[in-house]
Amino acid sequence: STMHSYPLSVRATRWLVLVVGLLYVVTVLIVFSNEIARLTFGLMSIAAMIFFVAWSWNLQPDIIANENGLSVHFFFWWLLVKWEDIIDVKPHSFIKVLRKMLRLGGTATFVVRTRSLSVFHRFYFYPTFSFLPSFAIFRNISGFDELLSFMKKYIPEKMES
């Protein structure tokens, strides 16, 4: 098994977003708790903040690759995506176009669409116009090229460059 993780700056940002989100929730509950209409608005904004915190916390998941598939870190758990559950691995189209416009080489981000993972993963990478569970592999993950090579060994027909 090989662990692929993101730099300390990404992990620190995750925790910062979590702390700010929690402070926001506490503040809204205190400020809007005295009347029902304001409380309803407050609860809706809390739900939006929780969704944002969860989305940003899991945007760049750490990945463990082995012969069984890819284990994707989701909050405090590891979710296994078996090789046969991977539908395709494609460069993220918007970022690919942007990199061409800026004349940057290579592909910065790949989107992995699967048949498994959580319901929450359906909200990632909506620009793929797919509601299939998916996650991203960004270039700044440790061992980016090695991870893609490892994946090509198990699912060459599903990889697009």
Side-chain angles (χ1 to χ4, degrees):
S1 294
T2 307
M3 171 78 162
H4 301 276
S5 57
Y6 288 93
L8 179 61
S9 60
V10 171
R11 292 193 303 271
T13 302
R14 288 176 187 162
W15 283 102
L16 179 65
V17 167
L18 181 64
V19 168
V20 168
L22 289 174
L23 288 173
Y24 178 81
V25 167
V26 169
T27 303
V28 167
L29 285 175
I30 291 169
V31 170
F32 292 124
S33 63
N34 61 353
E35 59 182 76
I36 195 71
R38 291 173 60 181
L39 180 61
T40 303
F41 172 77
L43 292 175
M44 287 181 358
S45 67
I46 287 173
M49 178 55 76
I50 290 171
F51 181 81
F52 172 75
V53 167
W55 184 82
S56 60
W57 180 274
N58 293 290
L59 183 61
Q60 295 180 315
D62 294 335
I63 299 168
I64 296 176
N66 60 36
E67 62 280 347
N68 297 322
L70 301 175
S71 292
V72 179
H73 197 236
F74 181 65
F75 284 110
F76 305 102
W77 301 277
W78 289 95
L79 305 175
L80 176 64
V81 179
K82 295 180 182 175
W83 294 118
E84 57 268 14
D85 289 341
I86 294 176
I87 296 168
D88 56 24
V89 181
K90 295 182 178 183
H92 190 278
S93 55
F94 172 74
I95 294 174
K96 186 176 178 181
V97 169
L98 187 62
R99 289 185 70 82
K100 279 186 180 179
M101 287 172 41
L102 297 174
R103 296 191 171 111
L104 300 172
T107 301
T109 306
F110 283 84
V111 176
V112 181
R113 294 187 317 153
T114 75
R115 289 184 188 88
S116 56
L117 287 178
S118 71
V119 171
F120 189 76
H121 284 89
R122 293 179 185 275
F123 296 104
Y124 282 98
F125 295 97
Y126 55 87
T128 60
F129 301 109
S130 169
F131 287 107
L132 292 167
S134 58
F135 65 95
I137 301 172
F138 291 87
R139 180 166 283 288
N140 64 335
I141 195 167
S142 64
F144 177 79
D145 294 323
E146 293 83 8
L147 175 58
L148 293 180
S149 296
F150 189 83
M151 291 169 65
K152 282 182 185 176
K153 191 166 75 172
Y154 286 94
I155 53 167
E157 70 285 353
K158 298 178 183 180
M159 301 279 296
E160 184 182 308
S161 53

